Amino acid sequence: MPMDLKGKKIVLGLSGGVACYKAAELCRALTKEGASVQVVMTDAATHFITAVTMQALSGNAVYTDQWDARVANNMAHIDLTRGADAVLIAPCSADFMRKLAHGVCDDLLSTLCLARPHLVPLLVAPAMNVEMWQNPATRRNTAQLRADGVRILGPAAGDQACVETGMGRMLEPLDLLDELIASFQTKVLAGKRVLITAGPTFEAIDPVRGITNLSSGKMGYAIARAAREAGAEVLLVSGPTTLPTPHGVRRIDVQSAQQMHDAVMAGIAGQHIFVGVAAVADWRVVNASDQKMKKQDGAMPSLQFEQNADILAAVAATTSLSGWPFCVGFAAESENLLEYGAVKREKKGIPLLVGNIGHHTFGQDDNTVVLFDESGHTVLPRADKLTLARQLVSEIAKRIEQRSLLK
Ligand code: C5P
């Protein structure tokens, strides 16, 4: 996997809230991803977690006081954000949101936010009681922050430390990490809706047995993540996998090819892009048993098959005159990829086909792919699947852009 924050300097600000305990894990996740993290805490934050913990996890001295004389020119509120790539406030309390919305600067962290260079993005992860989050004063402050270009990450709904339930929980550390990583990706699919199929299908033989394949879903999930990072609204229709849903992606789980077909056709209206990554079973068992088949001495089960509908071809057939959805297919060929890939693209009636070199990609973390379009083919050299997914997303965006310029 890429070290997405390698070389990035992140100022991690903590304001007062019980979610400070999650900031410790966030800090660790940021450093593991290659970031250099400078922690700044409000006085209230130090009541929830110590500066010692945050120093140990970030590997850098923590600042809590605007009168701290450790910075040579005594201007920590200026120096700490110079050269920074982002300022992330997690947790951001209701009071700290108020300060940010009104330009209050009465402690080191709020002064540092106001004094940061305007090109350094400010991201905040609200964390507060549900009533505080819903209060009109907080709503006003949130709207003001958005209007000022501050990115509001979350909050999430769920159980709260105050034993109430609702919106106001801080996003989980790994979700915040993904949001921060996404904030550095260019928004080449902003405003676009993308439907992606991923994983294997499972064709039942009886209630406990079935036919499936070795697809892990990694490539499809990586593309879902990359499309979301690029600003798209993403719907993932997934066969059985053990992968976590990428943050911000809506996922529908299916088992059989028929269910995948039905879920895709139900969701395809209004989609700008369709990417069929799933390894869909070519055949289903027509004489599947409702009860578990009994083993009988010497007698072999006799299975009859019929062909599943080709989901990609069915979606491609719905392409409107204006070219939506832009359809992308995948092909895993064990030989003659260059020849078969070009033929398959034409046969499926799609503008872009991604060929895997060999079928050994199943379950692997990296891959080499070849892109086939009407003007020929391009090789994307071996890389991890997320890197390839990001390249594919920008190739798709480039083709959509070129196409709309031609119209
Ligand atoms: O024809 P083949 O199975 O090699 O084509 C692979 C491509 O078609 C993949 O993009 C796959 O997701 C899609 N496909 C599909 N429905 C099927 C079979 C394949 O959408 N029934």
Side-chain angles (χ1 to χ4, degrees):
M1 292 289 276
M3 290 262 280
D4 277 315
L5 297 178
K6 200 167 170 43
K8 295 266 190 272
K9 183 180 167 195
I10 309 298
V11 176
L12 175 61
L14 279 66
S15 61
V18 68
C20 277
Y21 81 93
K22 295 188 191 174
E25 200 185 330
L26 172 62
C27 181
R28 188 148 174 67
L30 291 170
T31 54
K32 269 173 110 175
E33 203 64 36
S36 103
V37 182
Q38 174 60 66
V39 175
V40 180
M41 299 168 73
T42 64
D43 181 50
T46 62
H47 288 270
F48 291 94
I49 189 167
T50 68
V52 174
T53 299
M54 298 308 292
Q55 177 174 347
L57 293 175
S58 65
N60 285 314
V62 170
Y63 286 82
T64 58
D65 181 3
Q66 71 196 110
W67 311 118
D68 192 320
R70 278 176 294 173
V71 174
N73 62 2
N74 227 322
M75 291 194 198
H77 67 289
I78 306 286
D79 290 8
L80 294 180
T81 59
R82 298 306 181 261
D85 293 287
V87 176
L88 168 61
I89 310 295
C92 189
S93 65
D95 185 53
F96 203 76
M97 289 182 79
R98 167 192 70 84
K99 286 193 189 183
L100 291 175
H102 294 273
V104 175
C105 40
D106 61 356
D107 62 9
L108 176 60
L109 188 57
S110 55
T111 310
L112 165 157
C113 287
L114 199 73
R116 78 187 195 284
H118 66 282
L119 287 177
V120 175
L122 176 60
L123 300 92
V124 305
M128 65 196 73
N129 165 269
V130 53
E131 298 296 343
M132 292 171 90
W133 173 249
Q134 285 168 356
N135 190 287
T138 308
R139 312 259 22 106
R140 278 197 304 276
N141 291 335
T142 308
Q144 184 60 56
L145 289 174
R146 283 209 173 94
D148 292 345
V150 176
R151 288 182 220 156
I152 312 285
L153 310 179
D159 293 342
Q160 301 201 305
C162 49
V163 204
E164 294 186 358
T165 305
M167 286 291 275
R169 276 173 65 96
M170 190 170 86
L171 288 187
E172 294 308 314
L174 295 184
D175 291 337
L176 286 175
L177 176 73
D178 287 350
E179 288 280 7
L180 184 67
I181 291 171
S183 76
F184 292 114
Q185 302 296 322
T186 42
K187 305 296 168 200
V188 285
L189 292 185
K192 295 286 185 293
R193 286 180 292 274
V194 184
L195 199 164
I196 298 164
T197 64
T201 62
F202 180 89
E203 307 299 320
I205 294 174
D206 69 17
V208 295
R209 301 186 182 94
I211 298 172
T212 186
N213 58 64
L214 289 176
S215 166
S216 62
K218 285 179 184 170
M219 192 67 211
Y221 277 57
I223 294 169
R225 174 179 172 160
R228 204 263 172 176
E229 287 178 342
E233 185 185 319
V234 181
L235 174 60
L236 178 64
V237 177
S238 174
T241 74
T242 53
L243 300 173
T245 310
H247 178 65
V249 166
R250 191 159 75 86
R251 165 170 159 189
I252 297 177
D253 285 326
V254 296
Q255 286 216 316
S256 67
Q258 184 67 50
Q259 288 168 355
M260 186 172 274
H261 173 272
D262 294 349
V264 167
M265 295 325 268
I268 197 68
Q271 299 288 343
H272 297 102
I273 298 164
F274 173 74
V275 191
V277 197
V280 186
D282 291 316
W283 310 282
R284 67 169 159 266
V285 181
V286 265
N287 58 340
S289 168
D290 291 341
Q291 272 117 39
K292 185 180 171 204
M293 289 159 69
K294 288 266 175 256
K295 187 165 53 178
Q296 287 163 347
D297 275 349
M300 294 298 148
S302 152
L303 300 177
Q304 280 144 32
F305 294 92
E306 70 183 3
Q307 198 157 335
N308 280 319
D310 189 316
I311 303 167
L312 176 60
V315 173
T318 70
T319 307
S320 68
L321 280 179
S322 47
W324 304 118
F326 182 89
C327 288
V328 183
F330 269 70
E333 303 290 346
S334 48
E335 56 201 16
N336 290 343
L337 176 66
L338 292 188
E339 186 189 327
Y340 290 157
V343 172
K344 185 164 285 187
R345 185 189 76 81
E346 297 239 0
K347 206 170 120 202
K348 298 260 183 189
I350 55 175
L352 185 62
L353 182 114
V354 185
N356 295 300
I357 296 190
H359 51 279
H360 302 295
T361 167
F362 278 19
Q364 299 299 310
D365 288 327
D366 51 10
N367 199 4
T368 306
V369 299
V370 185
L371 305 186
F372 296 90
D373 66 8
E374 60 184 359
S375 49
H377 70 266
T378 322
V379 176
L380 299 186
R382 191 156 202 90
D384 65 88
K385 287 184 175 174
L386 182 55
T387 300
L388 286 174
R390 288 178 178 149
Q391 288 169 355
L392 177 63
V393 159
S394 69
E395 293 288 339
I396 292 171
K398 205 165 73 186
R399 283 165 176 79
I400 288 175
E401 173 81 18
Q402 280 164 356
R403 219 182 44 177
S404 22
L405 290 178
L406 289 176
K407 281 199 176 126

